[in-house]
Amino acid sequence: MAGLLSIIAKHTSSEDAAFEYLAEHRLLARRHDCPGCYPPSNMSFIRRSDITDGWTWRCSVRGCRKKLSIRHGSFFSQSKLRFSTWIKLLYLWTSEIPVTKVRCHLDDGECSTTTAILLGGPGTVVQIDESLMRHNRKV
């Protein structure tokens, strides 16, 4: 297990490393054809510092220059999570870590413990409305 954790740490050390890992395992495309060109032309992989992923696809045809996210057409296309977070989530899911513990693992191991509160008792029905628990206390 420790060996696997070091592999996960290596592939989540940067977004570039995470991208390479996901592309190597065919979860992200290594090439794209431009959807705006006919016949389809190959898109170039361009470095961009103004976006979270750091890379984008750009059409190499001068008249087009259409841009696509590197997530386009992949499992990650509708997600805003970083690729490194996805790798950690996939590892935790395949390790069958309970959902209640996942946040602890993603937030650098800092996890608050909660104390259970006993409500009701034998033969007593307790009804709780969650909508009332989300508001600030009214004075």
Side-chain angles (χ1 to χ4, degrees):
M1 180 113 163
L4 186 57
L5 287 176
S6 65
I7 291 170
I8 297 299
K10 180 179 103 174
H11 294 301
T12 57
S13 62
S14 71
E15 287 307 297
D16 289 345
F19 170 78
E20 279 300 319
Y21 180 78
L22 294 171
E24 179 182 316
H25 288 85
R26 300 179 69 180
L27 292 170
L28 288 171
R30 287 205 181 265
R31 64 177 298 277
H32 257 291
D33 290 333
C34 180
C37 292
Y38 185 81
S41 65
N42 198 16
M43 298 184 89
S44 303
F45 202 50
I46 305 295
R47 183 81 154 139
R48 288 191 46 194
S49 59
D50 61 326
I51 57 175
T52 307
D53 294 334
W55 296 92
T56 191
W57 294 105
R58 187 177 75 185
C59 182
S60 51
V61 175
R62 283 191 190 262
C64 182
R65 297 289 191 208
K66 183 174 180 71
K67 293 178 184 173
L68 292 176
S69 166
I70 58 174
R71 298 169 183 251
H72 180 77
S74 75
F75 172 79
F76 310 102
S77 64
Q78 298 297 314
S79 173
K80 293 185 181 188
L81 292 177
R82 295 178 174 270
F83 291 135
S84 55
T85 303
W86 266 111
I87 292 173
K88 292 173 187 175
L89 279 172
L90 291 169
Y91 166 72
L92 295 169
W93 179 67
T94 57
S95 300
E96 297 183 1
I97 303 293
V99 174
T100 55
K101 302 288 184 204
V102 168
R103 179 124 194 196
C104 301
H105 291 282
L106 292 178
D107 293 339
D108 299 324
E110 291 187 28
C111 190
S112 61
T113 57
T114 56
T115 307
I117 300 171
L118 182 61
L119 296 174
T124 306
V125 176
V126 177
Q127 184 176 0
I128 299 175
D129 184 2
E130 299 112 12
S131 64
L132 295 177
M133 300 182 89
R134 293 182 171 245
H135 301 295
N136 291 335
R137 186 174 179 191
K138 295 178 183 173
V139 181

